[in-house]
Amino acid sequence: MKISYKWLKEYVDLDMTPEELANKVTLTGIEVDGVKHPDAGLKKIVVGYVESTKPHPDSDHLQLCQVQISADETVQIVCGAPNVAAGQKVIVALPGSRIANNEKIKKGKLRGEISNGMICALQEIGFSDDVTPQVYADGIYVLPADAEVGQPVYAYLGMDDAILDLEITPNRADALSVRGVAHEVAAIYAQAVHFPKVALTEATKKASAVLQAQVTDVADAPSYNLRVLENVTIKPSPLWLQRRLWNAGVRPINNVVDITNLIMLDYGQPLHAFDYAKIGGQTIEVRRAQADETLTTLDGKERDLTEDDIVITNGADVLNLAGVMGGLDSEITNETTTVILESAVFEPTHIRKTAQRYNLRSEASSRFEKGVNTATVLTALDDAASLMADLADATVLAGRVSPTVLKPADVTVNVSTERINRVLGTTITTAEVKAIFERLGFGVTEAAGIFTVSVPPRRWDIAIEADLIEEVARLYGYDRLPETLTASASTPGLLTERQQLIRHLEATLEANGLSQALSYALTTPDKANAFQLTASQPTSVDWPMTVDHATLRMNLVSGLLDDLAYNAARKQQNVALYEQGRVFLKQHQATVRPHELEYLAGAITGDWQTATWNQPAQPVDFYQLKGLVESTLAEFNLTTTPEFAATARHQDMHPGRTADILVGNQVVGFLGQVHPRVSQQYRLPATYVFQLDLEQLLALEQQTVMYHAVPRYPAITRDIALVVDESVTNAALTATIRENGGSYLSAVQLFDLYAGAHIDTGKKSLAYTLTYQNTAATLTDDQVNEAFAKVVAALQTEHAATIR
Amino acid sequence: MSSLQDKLIALQKQGITEIEKSADLKQLNDIRVNLLGKKGPITEVLRGMRDLTKEERPAVGSFANKVRDALTESIETRKQALEAAKIERQLAQETLDVTLPGTPVKMGSHHVIMQTVERLESVFLGMGFKVVLGYEVEEEKYNFEKLNMPKDHPARDMQDTFYINQDILLRTHMSPDEARTLEQHDFSTGPMKMIGPGRVYRRDTDDATHSHQFFQMEGQYIGENVTMADLKGTLSFAIREFFGAEREIRFRPSYFPFTEPSVEVDISCFKCNGAGCDVCKYSGWIEVLGAGMTHPNVLKAAGVDPAKYGGFAFGLGIDRFAMLKYGIDDIRQFYQNDVRFLSQFK
Ligand SMILES: [Zn+2]
């Protein structure tokens, strides 16, 4: 809401600067976004009088104008505006002046003719196209005949004002009017408001003689009031009125329309004017539209109406979308002579829905949907009628046609000083509280610190105790409230074990070279579906902004691949990322709300170690990834060791380089190489990923950490090298060794794997170090030899191993 | 007699000369074996003692031993010198260019959004708040209804929402967690103090300042005697911890459906320190969070008696905090995960 400082000053006595006022208003309740001085930066722009014009000898559109710029000086100015004419008072930018956009005007020559300055259009001195009156949109502006030659133009155009731009929150719609803001400012500065009394002269002819009205459902229009004005002359408004409009960001149109806008700005009460001659009859009816009805609105568009739209009709045909937009057919035109003026209160939600439905949010609809001051519905109507009598020569017919009328009533709310201080943590006295309510203009009675407050209709945002406490707090000053750190009982502030473990996992991955990524949780349906650990149905939003962000992810890998692809496209080829976040899973398509599971995933592409001056590059491979996943899993300290089982079940993964991670018979994750077909789609080289279901892992049994004595007796090792069929896995061999190793076998470590020369085709050689340890005594060679022989025998029988 | 002594004296003299001339340990060892070995000249001289009288023998023997000791000592001295020289040479050979780059140890970085979350978490944990993580897919009633935003409430216009259906949506703020936690809280165990950081969603077109996904943190403190002064004290502490003790903080009235009174908190601009610049839109102040005393309707909706209990709630944008603190000018960078971006925040 743009508020003119000068207009405000007519209602409240203000002696501070507009900037000081803005700061105070901001700190007390309504944020002021900025203060604009329309004449800021302008210089030497004065009223000129065009004495004569003649065509430029060397141009078909320029005019040579003799312009009087002071009592005793007339100069030649070249002007290209089509509407320049002798006898006009115009805006002259003198040589050495500054106009909009800090542009300097100098004396010069245009096609050989001297020009001592420039005759200006409003836009050239800073007016926006939105507020420039239509008739001056494409030419120079013509000032009123009584403008004094040589004087600065700013005061004539309202540019010596200051405009405060108020950011009105939805609860403070009372400040969507100059009067509302005047009340607010008066409360802040402990002043009184003074509004001028307007006298209305009515004709003897009664409005009810020419117009009847009815409201079908009183809930739709709890207050509906019309006046009829005859003998109206449509013409431009006087300059004082136009100034007020354009300083508020509203374009002047004609006197009748301008008056409705002025009253809306003044009172916050939107008005509508109909051309009586065009409504077709003598009836106005407020009802709901029927499904088959249409209306061509003022913007020329035909609208298909619905039963949720409140409309104004002539008893049969729809004239208006109530409170939102008028119809083209009953619009005020230059030929209008009889005007019906409407001032009403409409049901806010329907107005809001209608405005949204047709994308027609206007100054009027936004006020109706937030509420209007029920105390000034009639006053606003009468003031408008009175102005039309003055400015449009209208005859105001006697009486209002009011099928519904609201009785404005104060709302009573109670609050105590004790309660206020308890909520605010203050020691404000009863007298101070009383003074604040009085400054606000509320009726107040007090007994023993308990207040009964009568809130007038103009503050319809106040209904409960908390609202009054807020009024006291803000007028007392938020800056004066003390700052304390709770007197309440102390509470433990702790992360849960789960939260701590997740942080720990992240630190482990980062220490191993992976950076944390946060990807979009909404993705394409295909990407949401890929890389699922547990089969799930997708959850999509109803109206996505784009298909790229339509479906909730069911895996974290796709997002990481997006990130890797983003990096690769920017020549960042060696990237290792991980993400911890949620996936959204559900078993049945019919289920609306998915389960939210915490997952952990990683993706590595390119070199695990990049080449340096002292070591070669090391491209990422399966076993590096596996080592990383193993150390991550080790952080869970599970009682059951996770196992890795080859799988080809993941469509998007390399069928020969992927393993499911199992704990017991639960699949808790997978790892491996992304299927080359998929990495190609992302334009990535070989890429390795893992994905873990943290929910399952966190639910598994963890070992209790207990101290074990550090061995005091030496361990003995034995190496074994064996040749087996290529299909025999390390897991199978290790299992055999462990099962047959005896109670002293403490570790089995693979230290060599070989296939090729000197090994038969289809065979491979593996070498293990077996470590034997007795924690109670020194082991003898005989004990170890005996145990080792059993392992050798078992490997030979179970895996047809040849011992080398 | 004298001839033997003379021989020994000559041997000693020649031997010492040779020892001192020796160039390395091997040569020195050869000299030692040569001089003092079983076939060496001293042994030979001693063998010549057979020809001496019984009386002469002790004197010559003693003299021969002295010569042997002198030579042994000389060899030892020379050996130490040669060994020291050898180490010197080795060290000289081993000298490195210490300015060559170290072999890199790969370290990942923690996402700046999570760093911001965790920094704030630690501030509030220290003040006795717990961290609560709710649902990203929420029920309409927890996202709006129970927060004093019934259907058709104009404030819902401020938040464009991704709906799954008419009852289920992607949370638009972190307040649903507050409503849920409040509902479950047993006040006989003490006040309710929680923060909830997490992902939220709005139907926005992504650009430099808008994102359909971002992170928020909300917090709530409800008890028997929690005041607006506590709100100011708690939030001032948290803001100074995060943005620096030198920042000025101002509290001004605002509006949120779920609080009354409501507060907007500004800090003095980092760039211009209050003088006015493009960062603060020439106001000198930067908005950092919204807060207020929890609305009685919100308490009632959670089954809490507003006459007995009350307190404050606050909400802040993690992305915004990170952008302000580090001067990040494009919100999309948080979710594109360019490693050149990620690695900047150590
Ligand atoms: Zn600044």
Side-chain angles (χ1 to χ4, degrees):
Chain A
M1 175 88 194
K2 292 189 169 68
I3 294 289
S4 150
Y5 181 73
K6 285 194 159 182
W7 192 350
L8 197 59
K9 242 179 139 164
E10 289 180 18
Y11 295 157
V12 199
D13 298 326
L14 303 174
D15 53 8
M16 72 298 297
T17 66
E19 284 72 17
E20 286 164 355
L21 174 67
N23 188 49
K24 189 82 180 161
V25 169
T26 295
L27 290 177
T28 317
I30 298 170
E31 190 181 356
V32 181
D33 237 6
V35 177
K36 191 185 154 201
H37 295 266
D39 61 1
L42 304 182
K43 207 170 84 182
K44 291 181 82 173
I45 301 173
V46 300
V47 178
Y49 175 68
V50 183
E51 290 178 348
S52 65
T53 69
K54 66 174 184 193
H56 190 294
D58 200 18
S59 163
D60 56 2
H61 72 280
L62 294 176
Q63 300 277 326
L64 303 181
C65 309
Q66 297 305 314
V67 183
Q68 188 194 352
I69 53 165
S70 71
D72 48 12
E73 192 179 4
T74 297
V75 296
Q76 172 170 294
I77 298 176
V78 181
C79 180
N83 64 331
V84 69
Q88 287 171 338
K89 293 276 176 72
V90 294
I91 303 166
V92 176
L94 298 172
S97 65
R98 264 178 212 282
I99 60 170
N101 304 320
N102 210 17
E103 201 180 317
K104 248 187 182 166
I105 298 300
K106 283 181 282 192
K107 182 172 168 176
K109 273 188 179 176
L110 265 117
R111 297 199 186 179
E113 292 293 337
I114 295 265
S115 185
N116 292 290
M118 174 173 158
I119 303 178
C120 296
L122 288 176
Q123 294 96 319
E124 286 164 332
I125 58 169
F127 278 62
S128 95
D129 282 330
D130 299 341
V131 300
T132 303
Q134 202 63 54
V135 14
Y136 301 117
D138 301 314
I140 55 159
Y141 184 73
V142 181
L143 290 160
D146 60 2
E148 198 178 324
V149 170
Q151 288 299 305
V153 297
Y154 315 123
Y156 290 106
L157 298 172
M159 299 180 80
D160 55 346
D161 202 349
I163 312 300
L164 282 67
D165 193 0
L166 272 57
E167 191 83 46
I168 313 278
T169 51
N171 63 320
R172 289 304 305 273
D174 62 293
L176 285 171
S177 66
V178 181
R179 286 172 191 244
V181 174
H183 278 294
E184 174 74 10
V185 169
I188 294 171
Y189 288 101
Q191 298 258 2
V193 291
H194 32 78
F195 300 131
K197 282 264 180 292
V198 178
L200 174 66
T201 312
E202 294 181 319
T204 47
K205 181 174 173 186
K206 284 189 172 159
S208 56
V210 296
L211 188 68
Q212 289 80 49
Q214 65 213 48
V215 172
T216 307
D217 184 348
V218 68
D220 284 349
S223 180
Y224 194 77
N225 313 280
L226 303 170
R227 272 195 178 275
V228 181
L229 300 101
E230 291 183 341
N231 307 318
V232 172
T233 310
I234 304 291
K235 57 186 175 187
S237 302
L239 193 51
W240 69 263
L241 203 170
Q242 297 201 27
R243 282 198 295 254
R244 288 201 164 165
L245 294 187
W246 66 48
N247 276 346
V250 177
R251 187 206 306 276
I253 309 283
N254 59 44
N255 50 0
V256 169
V257 174
D258 291 352
I259 288 166
T260 62
N261 284 329
L262 181 83
I263 294 294
M264 178 177 73
L265 294 170
D266 197 1
Y267 286 94
Q269 172 66 51
L271 302 177
H272 186 75
F274 302 84
D275 186 336
Y276 179 85
K278 291 194 222 146
I279 66 165
Q282 297 198 338
T283 305
I284 292 282
E285 180 192 25
V286 185
R287 63 163 166 84
R288 294 296 180 85
Q290 286 147 22
D292 58 346
E293 286 182 307
T294 62
L295 171 71
T296 303
T297 41
L298 274 175
D299 52 10
K301 290 193 180 133
E302 186 173 290
R303 315 275 176 176
D304 291 322
L305 305 180
T306 79
E307 286 166 15
D308 289 326
D309 297 321
I310 306 171
V311 291
I312 315 297
T313 73
N314 60 7
D317 301 327
V318 178
L319 302 171
N320 260 17
L321 276 172
V324 177
M325 196 179 238
L328 194 59
D329 292 347
S330 55
E331 189 189 9
I332 301 294
T333 66
N334 288 338
E335 288 69 48
T336 301
T337 57
T338 303
V339 169
I340 303 173
L341 207 52
E342 170 202 84
S343 181
V345 177
F346 295 112
E347 200 283 312
T349 303
H350 281 89
I351 298 298
R352 180 161 143 262
K353 289 280 157 81
T354 295
Q356 276 176 350
R357 185 155 43 243
Y358 305 110
N359 200 14
L360 280 176
R361 292 200 74 182
S362 62
E363 292 282 322
S365 74
S366 77
R367 283 177 175 81
F368 280 127
E369 70 188 45
K370 290 170 190 142
V372 295
N373 181 2
T374 55
T376 53
V377 181
L378 302 180
T379 325
L381 179 62
D382 291 356
D383 271 15
S386 164
L387 274 171
M388 285 186 194
D390 286 351
L391 307 179
D393 317 320
T395 306
V396 182
L397 299 195
R400 292 180 288 252
V401 178
S402 294
T404 57
V405 186
L406 265 179
K407 260 225 162 102
D410 288 0
V411 169
T412 304
V413 187
N414 298 331
V415 70
S416 69
T417 309
E418 186 271 329
R419 176 70 177 168
I420 290 168
N421 283 321
R422 203 177 124 198
V423 171
L424 300 181
T426 45
T427 50
I428 307 176
T429 64
T430 298
E432 283 176 295
V433 173
K434 187 157 189 277
I436 286 170
F437 289 140
E438 284 165 353
R439 277 158 63 185
L440 285 160
F442 297 171
V444 55
T445 58
E446 179 264 327
I450 296 170
F451 293 94
T452 304
V453 182
S454 295
V455 182
R458 65 175 165 81
R459 287 299 306 275
W460 64 92
D461 58 313
I462 293 173
I464 59 172
E465 183 191 73
D467 299 327
L468 287 182
I469 295 173
E470 178 169 59
E471 293 301 300
V472 173
R474 68 187 189 89
L475 284 161
Y476 180 75
Y478 278 17
D479 55 334
R480 291 171 66 198
L481 301 182
E483 286 190 12
T484 52
L485 277 178
T486 180
S488 254
S490 79
T491 47
L494 275 180
L495 290 176
T496 62
E497 275 185 38
R498 179 189 164 99
Q499 288 163 350
Q500 289 180 55
L501 179 58
I502 289 178
R503 281 198 186 185
H504 200 68
L505 293 171
E506 294 176 354
T508 301
L509 290 168
E510 284 159 21
N512 280 294
L514 278 70
S515 286
Q516 189 182 33
L518 292 170
S519 314
Y520 291 117
L522 281 171
T523 182
T524 67
D526 285 348
K527 286 178 181 172
N529 264 312
F531 298 104
Q532 287 188 38
L533 182 61
T534 311
S536 166
Q537 295 295 322
T539 306
S540 295
V541 297
D542 236 2
W543 294 103
M545 299 292 289
T546 75
V547 73
D548 288 343
H549 305 297
T551 304
L552 284 165
R553 62 186 178 186
M554 293 178 279
N555 75 92
L556 297 183
V557 175
S558 297
L560 288 170
L561 294 182
D562 277 339
D563 301 335
L564 295 185
Y566 183 90
N567 277 286
R570 285 154 188 79
K571 303 267 184 277
Q572 304 299 307
Q573 275 105 350
N574 307 313
V575 181
L577 296 176
Y578 81 90
E579 179 158 4
Q580 194 286 306
R582 292 197 188 158
V583 296
F584 302 84
L585 307 184
K586 62 188 187 192
Q587 273 191 302
H588 306 291
Q589 185 55 55
T591 310
V592 179
R593 194 165 173 205
H595 292 290
E596 301 182 18
L597 289 88
E598 298 288 357
Y599 267 33
L600 179 65
I604 306 168
T605 191
D607 291 338
W608 175 247
Q609 286 293 354
T610 47
T612 61
W613 63 276
N614 61 347
Q615 63 181 22
Q618 206 183 349
V620 58
D621 68 26
F622 181 89
Y623 298 107
Q624 281 161 347
L625 178 77
K626 188 178 174 190
L628 178 74
V629 171
E630 282 171 330
S631 43
T632 306
L633 289 168
E635 298 298 327
F636 288 92
N637 198 24
L638 299 173
T639 52
T640 310
T641 310
E643 287 170 48
F644 294 80
T647 178
R649 75 182 179 98
H650 301 283
Q651 273 185 21
D652 305 301
M653 297 293 289
H654 190 307
R657 292 186 172 182
T658 299
D660 272 333
I661 304 165
L662 293 130
V663 177
N665 51 11
Q666 270 177 271
V667 181
V668 297
F670 66 80
L671 81 168
Q673 187 182 343
V674 173
H675 199 295
R677 160 181 52 77
V678 177
S679 33
Q680 213 162 45
Q681 284 164 9
Y682 284 93
R683 297 173 186 275
L684 290 170
T687 297
Y688 287 82
V689 299
F690 71 88
Q691 178 165 258
L692 301 175
D693 177 350
L694 293 185
E695 302 292 345
Q696 284 194 66
L697 284 164
L698 288 162
L700 287 167
E701 196 189 337
Q702 290 189 356
Q703 290 181 44
T704 314
V705 176
M706 286 299 289
Y707 164 75
H708 295 289
V710 174
R712 281 191 288 159
Y713 304 100
I716 294 179
T717 61
R718 289 282 185 277
D719 288 354
I720 183 169
L722 46 126
V723 175
V724 290
D725 278 353
E726 225 165 45
S727 60
V728 179
T729 63
N730 170 62
L733 293 169
T734 310
T736 300
I737 293 170
R738 285 198 177 281
E739 276 161 29
N740 296 280
S743 55
Y744 299 134
L745 180 65
S746 63
V748 181
Q749 195 184 1
L750 177 75
F751 70 90
D752 187 48
L753 169 68
Y754 178 74
H758 312 300
I759 301 285
D760 293 346
T761 314
K763 300 274 184 186
K764 63 184 172 186
S765 160
L766 298 99
Y768 295 92
T769 297
L770 280 59
T771 304
Y772 294 90
Q773 174 84 59
N774 182 354
T775 52
T778 305
L779 277 175
T780 65
D781 271 347
D782 286 350
Q783 286 172 308
V784 174
N785 289 344
E786 196 185 328
F788 187 63
K790 280 185 187 158
V791 168
V792 173
L795 288 168
Q796 283 166 329
T797 48
E798 289 177 27
H799 300 293
T802 314
I803 312 300
R804 294 174 80 199
Chain B
M1 153 83 203
S2 72
S3 74
L4 273 181
Q5 275 193 346
D6 289 349
K7 251 181 180 174
L8 284 167
I9 288 166
L11 266 174
Q12 181 176 358
K13 203 174 174 187
Q14 191 196 337
I16 286 172
T17 311
E18 277 179 41
I19 288 163
E20 282 172 357
K21 275 206 287 195
S22 66
D24 58 34
L25 286 166
K26 186 176 177 302
Q27 210 180 341
L28 182 65
N29 196 45
D30 290 349
I31 292 167
R32 183 181 63 81
V33 172
N34 231 352
L35 277 176
L36 306 174
K38 283 189 177 124
K39 289 171 188 166
I42 293 178
T43 315
E44 204 172 307
V45 168
L46 289 173
R47 225 177 264 142
M49 287 211 311
R50 275 173 305 197
D51 303 333
L52 294 181
T53 65
K54 227 176 185 175
E55 292 74 23
E56 284 174 321
R57 279 179 198 172
V60 174
S62 151
F63 189 74
N65 280 334
K66 273 185 193 156
V67 169
R68 182 192 289 268
D69 289 348
L71 287 170
T72 306
E73 197 190 311
S74 174
I75 288 169
E76 193 51 43
T77 307
R78 183 62 187 158
K79 190 181 168 192
Q80 282 176 13
L82 286 172
E83 277 176 347
K86 187 184 170 194
I87 287 174
E88 282 302 317
R89 270 198 311 281
Q90 188 188 342
L91 291 178
Q93 279 166 12
E94 285 174 355
T95 299
L96 299 177
D97 177 357
V98 297
T99 67
L100 283 170
T103 306
V105 175
K106 208 168 154 183
M107 287 286 289
S109 49
H110 207 44
H111 199 287
V112 61
I113 288 282
M114 295 315 294
Q115 288 185 37
T116 306
V117 167
E118 285 165 21
R119 177 77 196 107
L120 289 166
E121 279 178 355
S122 66
V123 171
F124 283 98
L125 285 166
M127 290 192 282
F129 286 69
K130 61 178 175 174
V131 179
V132 174
L133 302 173
Y135 302 104
E136 293 181 32
V137 183
E138 253 300 352
E139 292 175 53
E140 191 264 1
K141 69 177 176 195
Y142 282 101
N143 196 74
F144 292 124
E145 205 85 23
K146 284 173 181 280
L147 300 171
N148 199 31
M149 282 187 283
K151 282 207 169 60
D152 302 324
H153 192 285
R156 288 199 186 187
D157 288 357
M158 292 156 81
Q159 311 184 327
D160 259 355
T161 310
F162 283 119
Y163 281 92
I164 307 291
N165 71 10
Q166 61 178 23
D167 301 319
I168 305 293
L169 45 76
L170 301 189
R171 68 182 172 201
T172 60
H173 49 188
M174 293 304 296
S175 312
D177 290 353
E178 295 175 33
R180 286 179 182 276
T181 312
L182 194 54
E183 252 177 15
Q184 285 154 15
H185 188 76
D186 174 3
F187 280 95
S188 71
T189 63
M192 190 275 247
K193 297 166 82 169
M194 59 148 295
I195 51 168
R199 251 176 233 255
V200 299
Y201 304 84
R202 303 266 172 98
R203 265 189 106 260
D204 250 332
T205 303
D206 295 345
D207 61 25
T209 53
H210 297 85
S211 179
H212 73 277
Q213 164 189 299
F214 55 99
F215 281 74
Q216 265 202 346
M217 192 172 97
E218 298 206 0
Q220 183 155 255
Y221 179 4
I222 307 289
E224 279 190 59
N225 289 301
V226 186
T227 68
M228 198 154 156
D230 293 335
L231 176 157
K232 278 186 75 176
T234 305
L235 296 182
S236 288
F237 176 73
I239 288 169
R240 289 210 171 89
E241 278 299 306
F242 188 83
F243 286 113
E246 69 284 4
R247 294 268 68 81
E248 267 186 72
I249 301 175
R250 89 179 178 181
F251 292 79
R252 59 183 167 80
S254 187
Y255 168 74
F256 306 105
F258 24 87
T259 51
E260 185 88 21
S262 298
V263 180
E264 196 88 56
V265 188
D266 300 335
I267 58 173
S268 53
C269 178
F270 309 94
K271 196 176 166 187
C272 64
N273 261 316
C277 70
D278 54 342
V279 170
C280 57
K281 290 191 245 157
Y282 301 94
S283 70
W285 296 94
I286 297 175
E287 242 175 70
V288 290
L289 61 81
M293 302 307 288
T294 302
H295 197 288
N297 290 354
V298 174
L299 295 172
K300 277 187 233 160
V304 176
D305 178 5
K308 187 163 183 202
Y309 301 103
F312 64 86
F314 61 91
L316 57 91
I318 296 291
D319 303 54
R320 181 169 167 75
F321 265 49
M323 289 172 92
L324 286 172
K325 182 162 180 150
Y326 300 103
I328 298 163
D329 56 4
D330 190 333
I331 193 171
R332 290 169 294 196
Q333 293 202 284
F334 292 129
Y335 308 108
Q336 287 160 341
N337 301 300
D338 189 317
V339 286
R340 294 164 300 175
F341 173 79
L342 297 177
S343 62
Q344 290 180 34
F345 307 98
K346 296 291 184 195

